[in-house]
Amino acid sequence: MIIDKHPSGAPWRNFYGRFKGKALRKSQERLLDEDLQGLSPGPVGWDVNPERTELDLKALFGDRDLWLEIGFGGGEHLAHMAVAEPDVGLIGCEPYLNGVAMLLAKLRKIDEPHVRVHPGDARDLFDVLPEASVGRAYLLYPDPWPKARHHRRRFVTAEHLEPLARVMRPGAELRIATDIEDYVRQTLEEVPPCGFEWLAEGPDDWRKPWDGWIATRYEQKALREGRVPHYLRFRRV
């Protein structure tokens, strides 16, 4: 017998990232205990929302447009957007608790009410977002999974892209930054068939970052190590 669901009702989804790295500092533990629940977008996980009831975005953000950051790392870019885009509702997804704690420290300093944080798999969030509700999505320096046998673990596969496309409205932008040339290749091969068109007319369109860009610590590391960033923009068709 093939079992394709968890006892909670959730589909079996392989997850290959990390949930926790080195031991959290006491200050980070306090941030998670004190701030994370208040920044929740609502019931996302299958354990708290087995019926997969859609999130009430109107209650969360009013009439603001909704943007997502998928895998926000240490939160540099998301915290920057929280200040630079006060009229946008922001949801960040990141399963790595050390990174979540880093973002919470940044958000505590700027006290922005239009940011929500999902500390888990982005696919669970896609389940409960209304169709065509997202105006922009960012995937910045995702885990490259460099070994060929692990390329199917990358975010830029249909398993992730199809549910993302469902929640993005026509005309919405997906922005991807990576310093791994083979990740660029796979992105250009797999993103368009899932409902997107590449917005590039010349080399500057992938060599130069888009307006409002802030270099993350992952980009700074890439530059120090001699790797070249690529900035890819796609439109949901």
Side-chain angles (χ1 to χ4, degrees), residues 203-228:
D204 281 353
D205 291 324
W206 65 83
R207 291 175 179 169
K208 293 183 178 180
W210 43 81
D211 291 343
W213 172 253
I214 178 175
T216 69
R217 59 192 177 119
Y218 296 107
E219 177 165 288
Q220 293 166 359
K221 178 182 178 182
L223 292 171
R224 287 196 303 270
E225 296 177 358
R227 294 188 299 276
V228 178

Side-chain angles (χ1 to χ4, degrees), residues 47-237:
D47 54 336
V48 294
N49 187 356
E51 292 81 18
R52 313 316 284 149
T53 301
E54 291 183 349
L55 299 178
D56 186 348
L57 299 181
K58 183 78 171 179
L60 283 174
F61 302 121
D63 293 326
R64 289 183 171 101
D65 195 13
L66 172 61
W67 295 0
L68 304 181
E69 183 165 347
I70 302 160
F72 56 72
E76 299 94 345
H77 181 259
L78 187 56
H80 169 73
M81 287 199 300
V83 175
E85 302 289 348
D87 296 325
V88 172
L90 301 166
I91 299 180
C93 304
E94 176 57 65
Y96 186 53
L97 283 180
N98 301 64
V100 173
M102 292 172 68
L103 172 67
L104 296 180
K106 296 175 176 68
L107 293 181
R108 182 173 280 196
K109 293 177 182 177
I110 59 180
D111 189 28
E112 293 295 338
H114 60 290
V115 181
R116 295 294 182 270
V117 180
H118 169 54
D121 193 328
R123 291 170 294 182
D124 291 340
L125 179 66
F126 300 158
D127 289 344
V128 295
L129 284 175
E131 185 174 348
S133 60
V134 175
R136 186 178 296 177
Y138 291 90
L139 179 68
L140 307 180
Y141 292 91
D143 195 325
W145 294 107
K147 295 181 180 178
R149 68 176 184 271
H150 293 157
H151 287 183
R152 63 186 177 86
R153 300 181 180 183
R154 292 173 170 173
F155 185 90
V156 288
T157 60
E159 179 184 1
H160 302 88
L161 293 169
E162 289 177 354
L164 174 61
R166 183 192 72 82
V167 302
M168 293 184 71
R169 67 169 184 265
E173 278 197 22
L174 170 60
R175 297 184 173 185
I176 300 175
T178 180
D179 59 306
I180 305 300
E181 290 188 2
D182 188 69
Y183 206 104
V184 174
R185 173 202 58 78
Q186 186 171 346
T187 297
L188 295 177
E189 288 178 354
E190 300 211 29
V191 171
C194 291
F196 298 88
E197 62 177 339
W198 185 25
L199 299 176
E201 298 178 354
D204 281 353
D205 291 324
W206 65 83
R207 291 175 179 169
K208 293 183 178 180
W210 43 81
D211 291 343
W213 172 253
I214 178 175
T216 69
R217 59 192 177 119
Y218 296 107
E219 177 165 288
Q220 293 166 359
K221 178 182 178 182
L223 292 171
R224 287 196 303 270
E225 296 177 358
R227 294 188 299 276
V228 178
H230 295 72
Y231 309 93
L232 307 173
R233 296 170 56 232
F234 299 87
R235 179 189 294 123
R236 176 73 171 95
V237 297

